[in-house]
Each structure stands twice: as structure tokens, then as C-alpha cells.
Amino acid sequence: MPARRINPFRVRMHRSYSVQELAACCGVHKNTVRNWQANGLEANEPRRPYLFQGERVRAFLTKANAKRKSPCTPGTIFCFRCRAPRAPALAMVEYTPHSPTGGNLRALCDHCEGLMHRRVRKADLASVMPGIAVHITEGQPRLISRPSPSTNCDFQGS
Ligand SMILES: [Zn+2]
């Protein structure tokens, strides 16, 4: 599998690429293109020199990217340090609302203790973190920066 995501739109739909051209176009090594081939990217003809149709390459990369997204199972957050979905350490999770309907989950990875983030809809909290008492924190300190009500009183008092 490719080590990183490749934008499928770098490849032109109506053009065929040799292994070398495709590698250059996607910014990967020729061996990566051979891996793609081993993983299901079909050449126009099943013999060398291989040519790959842009449309097919795009479809392949799009599918590969979708697979790599690896949606987290309930009770886990994707840890970018481990590059895997991990459970929160000590079953401690914080939720910071960004809007009335959604926010951000924060927890420490139980594997590497790195900080993990995951956006969730508020309605999904219970299903995303089943059995975990999610601690809901205040949002951005919007209330504090609001002008104090005493301004109005001063105006009236004089
Ligand atoms: Zn981790």
C-alpha cells in the first residue's frame, strides 16, 4: 500500500502513462507504481511496456485513499503518531464544542501517550465513545471577551 495519499487528480483522465511517466506524475518511485499494479491497478495491455490509462489510475487511487481512511471503530481515535486507531488512555476523553451540533474529542493515546483528536457530531458522542464518560469542556472563551454589562450602567449613571 502507498505510504501516503496521492491526489488522484494529478493524473489526466484521457492520457496513458508508462510506469516512469506515472511515477513522475504522482511523485512516487517506479516501484510504487509496480506495487499499485500488484494491488490491482490494471495496465492497458497485460505485457511490457505497461501503459496505464489515466481514468483507471484515478479510480484506483481514489479507492486506495478511501481504504486508507480506516474509519475508527467505536471507542477509538486515530493516533497520528501510531498511525492507527487507538483507545483513549485511562478512558479519559474531553469534548470541546465548536458549534451547537459538533466539536472536537481529545484524548491521550493509550499506546504512545500522544495527543489524539477527532471531530464528532454531538449527536454521535454516545455511539463514538460508548461506555466512556466524556468530559465536556467549555468552548472558546467567548463569554469572557464579551464587553462587560457595567459599561451600560456607567453611561446611565452620569
Ligand atoms: Zn499513539
Side-chain angles (χ1 to χ4, degrees), residues 79-84 86 108-114 116:
C79 173
F80 282 93
R81 221 191 272 176
C82 296
R83 302 187 141 272
R86 297 290 189 198
L108 294 181
C109 169
D110 73 343
H111 196 80
C112 73
E113 299 189 343
M116 310 188 290

